[in-house]
Amino acid sequence: MVAKKRLLIYIIVEVALLLTLVGFQIATVIQGYKVYDKSAPLFYPYIALFQVSLTFISLAFALIEFIISKRKKAYFVWPLYFLIISIADIFFSLTPYVLGGHIGFTCAYLLFLFYRKPKRFEYVIYGVLIAAGISILAIIKKLSPMIGVDIALGVLLISNLVATWIKYGKSKDKNIRLFAIALTIIVISDLTIALRAVISNPLALNHAISLITWPTYIAGNILLVIAFLRKQESLL
């Protein structure tokens, strides 16, 4: 019961911060700027700080539950995952070094790969896919450090998603289904980042795509928190 109350408080705080963030994003759009235009008047400090705060709230909650838990060795991955993506969000929101954010999320998805304990041949497949993608782009001279990292990020994210849904299909475990749904929503969030970068016109469509990014990202994180908590303590 106590764990449920803490979870409810966490969700309420996250939703309140998210609604405030979206409010500032809409105000940015009304002023005629793109949502993630760092020259926009409301981007600094408000939007950037709310973005970072949203992820750090998940990190704080994960740390509290981890400290309380008696099964620390088995579930240290939970706060570590949120620590990595929190650092990545700092790079994205508060610095010009967005490559650091891409590297951070790649590390987070790699951690999730280790967490689900795939078979050895899967590591080989993912490594081959990443190497093939990087090699092809290098041959056609389209490779850059950012693109190379994003290839690894994409392979890890999609492979985790597909493998989790396959695992759920075999086991019908409700907790695995929750992980799969969370990853699906996170994939949607990441896709909006790619789409808003390539779709500049019509501007209204760019705005619409941009406003989807954080609601889906936070929804995915909340579901991951619930799934981790269910698996850790079997209280929910």
Side-chain angles (χ1 to χ4, degrees), residues 43-224:
F43 192 92
Y44 287 107
Y46 303 111
I47 288 179
L49 290 176
F50 276 114
Q51 289 176 173
V52 171
S53 297
L54 277 161
T55 314
F56 267 85
I57 292 297
S58 292
L59 171 61
F61 181 74
L63 284 172
I64 290 170
E65 294 300 323
F66 175 73
I67 292 170
I68 293 173
S69 172
K70 297 179 181 179
R71 304 172 68 188
K72 293 179 175 57
K73 185 176 180 180
Y75 297 104
F76 74 94
V77 69
W78 180 16
L80 183 57
Y81 173 85
F82 282 108
L83 174 62
I84 294 172
I85 65 173
S86 295
I87 294 172
D89 281 334
I90 289 176
F91 277 103
F92 278 125
S93 300
L94 299 176
T95 79
Y97 309 110
V98 295
L99 178 59
H102 289 255
I103 293 172
F105 275 99
T106 302
C107 292
Y109 298 146
L110 182 62
L111 180 67
F112 200 92
L113 174 69
F114 295 149
Y115 173 75
R116 63 180 183 81
K117 298 178 181 179
K119 296 180 179 179
R120 290 183 180 179
F121 76 87
E122 292 183 61
Y123 289 106
V124 175
I125 293 174
Y126 306 147
V128 169
L129 289 173
I130 293 170
I134 291 175
S135 299
I136 291 171
L137 289 177
I139 291 171
I140 64 176
K141 298 182 179 180
K142 297 291 184 180
L143 184 64
S144 68
M146 183 80 76
I147 292 175
V149 171
D150 284 346
I151 289 173
L153 186 156
V155 168
L156 291 171
L157 182 58
I158 298 301
S159 63
N160 282 332
L161 174 65
V162 172
T164 304
W165 275 113
I166 291 174
K167 188 173 182 179
Y168 167 68
K170 292 179 178 179
S171 66
K172 301 302 179 182
D173 185 296
K174 292 182 179 180
N175 199 50
I176 294 175
R177 181 180 63 188
L178 191 57
F179 274 116
I181 293 172
L183 287 175
T184 301
I185 297 173
I186 290 172
V187 167
I188 292 172
S189 178
D190 283 358
L191 285 175
T192 64
I193 296 174
L195 286 173
R196 76 180 190 229
V198 299
I199 300 177
S200 297
N201 292 299
L203 191 57
L205 180 58
N206 182 277
H207 290 329
I209 293 171
S210 297
L211 291 172
I212 294 172
T213 301
W214 272 85
T216 49
Y217 176 51
I218 297 305
N221 281 349
I222 289 174
L223 290 179
L224 278 181

